[in-house]
Each structure stands twice: as structure tokens, then as C-alpha cells.
Amino acid sequence: MDACAQMCKCFLILFNTLFALLGLGMVGLGLWLRFGVETQGLFDIDLNTTQFTIGVAVLVVTGVLMLVVAVVGDCAACARSKSALGVVMSYTSLKKFKPALKVVEIH
């Protein structure tokens, strides 16, 4: 493997590790907000509302997805697996279309 490919592999591993840590932080924050005893005094709202529960669930699910994709990307970069890198690339290309998906609120 030449130097350019080796450097690209190192950058891929570095960014996937950073995204894995970010995803883990999002999962931890969501679980702390939902189940932490100390969070009752931080907010002046009722934490048992559906809006708060849904917001925390979205935070946790997004964190888990980021964590899984980053771990698969790390494993794919280390093992030089084209199929695993294809899975990671297809997921990241799907994220580009996220703004096109509209969420409709029903009042």
C-alpha cells in the first residue's frame, strides 16, 4: 500500500473513532436525561411529557446509529473490506437525503 492510501486509511480510522465517541456521548446524554435523578432539578418542565420522551428517544437512536456505522467503518478500514466500506458509504449517502424527508406535525 502506498503512502497516500495509508494516510487515507489513517484519516478514515481517526474520523470514524471520533464519530463513535460522539455517538457514544449522545447515547450517554440521552440515557442520563431520561433516567438520571439529577435531571429533575435542571429543567422547569415536566419530564414525563411525550415530547421530552420522544426527543430523548431520537437522541439515543441517532447516537446508536452513529456508533454502529462508525464501528463498522473502523472495522472495514482496518480489514480493508470493500463490502463493509460499501455499507458505510451507502448509509452516509442516505444521510444526505435526510432534509428532503419532511416530518408532518398533527395538532
Side-chain angles (χ1 to χ4, degrees):
M1 190 183 307
D2 61 342
C4 182
Q6 187 69 27
M7 187 167 50
C8 288
K9 179 181 172 182
C10 289
F11 277 129
L12 186 63
I13 291 171
L14 176 73
F15 283 121
N16 278 326
T17 303
L18 290 175
F19 284 127
L21 291 174
L22 182 65
L24 190 62
M26 288 173 67
V27 170
L29 178 67
L31 292 177
W32 177 72
L33 285 173
R34 181 68 181 113
F35 300 113
V37 180
E38 305 90 29
T39 57
Q40 298 291 334
L42 291 177
F43 304 106
D44 292 333
I45 61 171
D46 183 22
L47 299 181
N48 292 326
T49 61
T50 56
Q51 290 89 0
F52 183 77
T53 306
I54 289 172
V56 168
V58 167
L59 183 68
V60 169
V61 168
T62 304
V64 166
L65 284 175
M66 283 181 66
L67 184 63
V68 166
V69 169
V71 167
V72 169
D74 272 340
C75 292
C78 288
R80 290 189 278 178
S81 171
K82 288 184 180 182
S83 59
L85 282 173
V87 169
V88 172
M89 289 305 296
S90 65
Y91 175 75
T92 54
S93 66
L94 284 177
K95 286 194 317 185
K96 291 179 185 177
F97 297 111
K98 187 193 312 188
L101 302 174
K102 300 285 184 182
V103 177
V104 178
E105 287 187 29
I106 300 173
H107 293 280

